Amino acid sequence: MQSTFATMKKRTLITLCIFCCANIIHSQITEAPKNNELSGDLSYEIIPSLGDQQLTIIGGEVDQTIGIGASSLNFGLGYYNYGFIFNSVAKDESLVNAFEQNHLISLHAGYGLSFGNQWHWQLSLSPTFSSTLNDSPSLEDVIFNSKSTISKRLTSTGGQIEFGLGYGTLFGAPSLYPIISYNSALGTKWHYQIGFPESFIKYKPSWKNEWSFSAQQDGDYINNPRPSNFSSNEEAIANSKLEYRSTKFELNYSTALHECYRAYIGLGYYTNTSLEINSPNGKLLYPLNSDNSFSINFGIKFQLDNNIKTKEK
């Protein structure tokens, strides 16, 4: 019990540090131009029955955008803790239980450039440290996520089409994936996007309240640097990987607490879920019994420059 309390206290302190950093940055740019934006998200999610596992995700991120004429710079920092409870583990306890606490720290940098009023190009780089931190870190813990997209505004419909290519953990082990979507508005209160890796529809009756329903692909790839015993051949495996992928559906409601802060709560459903532990070369070591599961999440988003009332009203 004391260990669990200490872990929760550590997670909370890290999340609060991210929030404090956002406010410190904001205090230094109070005279920021109107096309600047400092935003962030603090969240907590629990997936109570992911097969024989329970997963809790807690963390936050901050993001700063700076507009420079027709271009923009974007940079940010995020931290998330993935806490697993393995309710049914057979022989390979040390191999599996090494992944009880997992830490994902990401840096984000992006550059965008508009061509006239219709075309926009965006490049994003997001190296992510994804590890159990059970041993000394190495390059095995780092994933170099990236994506490049081109979007075009369609004057005939008022919508926008986007296409591009990404590289990351969307399907578990890092791989290339396509990006394609079409988004548009229906009147002043409805907004939708159809595409991959995310589709959604949003209803906003006022700037204070918003409902949304989304479907998206989700995945992670976490390294365990410490050698852990694999009892089927009594071998210690270093840099074993927890590979996770799922399709997530979510109904979300958010309300503005202030012009700069919005609270939200969501009910999710995970399906087509796969959870397994692999060797560094991708060989399956231990398949974990995974199944569909509901989830609940809540948190606070903040936007400290172009506040949500000005931007979303």
Side-chain angles (χ1 to χ4, degrees):
M1 180 65 71
Q2 291 180 350
S3 176
T4 302
F5 177 77
T7 300
M8 290 297 295
K9 184 177 180 181
K10 180 180 178 182
R11 296 180 195 171
T12 305
L13 286 173
I14 293 173
T15 304
L16 288 175
C17 285
I18 293 175
F19 181 79
C20 290
C21 287
N23 282 279
I24 292 171
I25 295 172
H26 176 248
S27 67
Q28 297 174 348
I29 56 172
T30 52
E31 300 301 324
K34 291 183 178 180
N35 55 355
N36 281 16
E37 180 177 291
L38 177 65
S39 60
D41 188 356
L42 304 172
S43 64
Y44 178 93
E45 180 175 14
I46 183 168
I47 311 171
S49 58
L50 199 65
D52 290 333
Q53 294 73 229
Q54 176 178 306
L55 172 60
T56 302
I57 305 171
I58 183 172
E61 55 190 60
V62 292
D63 196 80
Q64 174 71 54
T65 300
I66 302 174
I68 308 173
S71 63
S72 63
L73 294 175
N74 178 269
F75 53 92
L77 170 68
Y79 168 80
Y80 288 93
N81 178 280
Y82 283 54
F84 279 96
I85 297 177
F86 300 102
N87 296 315
S88 177
V89 176
K91 297 177 295 182
D92 304 294
E93 291 189 3
S94 64
L95 181 69
V96 176
N97 291 333
F99 291 97
E100 286 184 340
Q101 293 297 322
N102 310 280
H103 308 270
L104 281 72
I105 304 170
S106 61
L107 299 173
H108 174 77
Y111 176 75
L113 180 62
S114 296
F115 302 91
N117 296 322
Q118 296 183 343
W119 291 91
H120 184 78
W121 171 65
Q122 183 75 36
L123 174 66
S124 299
L125 303 174
S126 183
T128 300
F129 181 84
S130 180
S131 175
T132 63
L133 287 180
N134 287 333
D135 211 331
S136 300
S138 69
L139 283 178
E140 287 283 345
D141 297 298
V142 182
I143 301 167
F144 294 95
N145 301 286
S146 61
K147 65 179 179 179
S148 178
T149 60
I150 295 176
S151 60
K152 184 182 188 299
R153 186 167 298 280
L154 306 177
T155 55
S156 58
T157 63
Q160 179 174 284
I161 187 169
E162 180 181 60
F163 54 92
L165 195 63
Y167 177 83
T169 61
L170 207 60
F171 294 97
S175 63
L176 290 171
Y177 59 88
I179 301 170
I180 183 168
S181 66
Y182 173 78
N183 69 74
S184 185
L186 296 173
T188 60
K189 297 181 179 180
W190 292 88
H191 181 215
Y192 68 91
Q193 175 175 295
I194 300 172
F196 182 86
E198 181 180 17
S199 297
F200 62 78
I201 184 168
K202 295 180 179 180
Y203 171 64
K204 186 180 297 181
S206 68
W207 73 271
K208 287 187 175 182
N209 300 295
E210 179 181 282
W211 293 87
S212 66
F213 178 77
S214 63
Q216 63 182 34
Q217 180 63 32
D218 189 33
D220 279 300
Y221 193 66
I222 301 169
N223 182 59
N224 173 38
R226 175 185 294 174
S228 300
N229 290 330
F230 183 44
S231 64
S232 63
N233 56 9
E234 298 182 354
E235 179 185 359
I237 305 293
N239 294 310
S240 55
K241 315 289 185 178
L242 178 65
E243 186 171 345
Y244 155 79
R245 56 186 175 273
S246 185
T247 303
K248 181 182 180 181
F249 298 90
E250 184 177 62
L251 177 64
N252 187 285
Y253 169 73
S254 68
T255 182
L257 304 176
H258 181 268
E259 292 184 359
C260 297
Y261 299 90
R262 179 180 292 278
Y264 63 88
I265 185 169
L267 180 65
Y269 183 71
Y270 287 81
T271 186
N272 299 322
T273 302
S274 175
L275 192 64
E276 58 193 34
I277 297 175
N278 295 329
S279 69
N281 60 9
K283 179 183 177 181
L284 177 63
L285 297 177
Y286 198 102
L288 292 160
N289 179 30
S290 55
D291 204 349
N292 302 339
S293 177
F294 285 97
S295 70
I296 186 169
N297 70 85
F298 53 88
I300 294 178
K301 293 182 178 182
F302 54 89
Q303 193 167 295
L304 302 180
D305 292 317
N306 290 337
N307 64 59
I308 56 178
K309 183 176 181 180
T310 302
K311 187 174 180 180
E312 302 180 8
K313 189 173 180 180

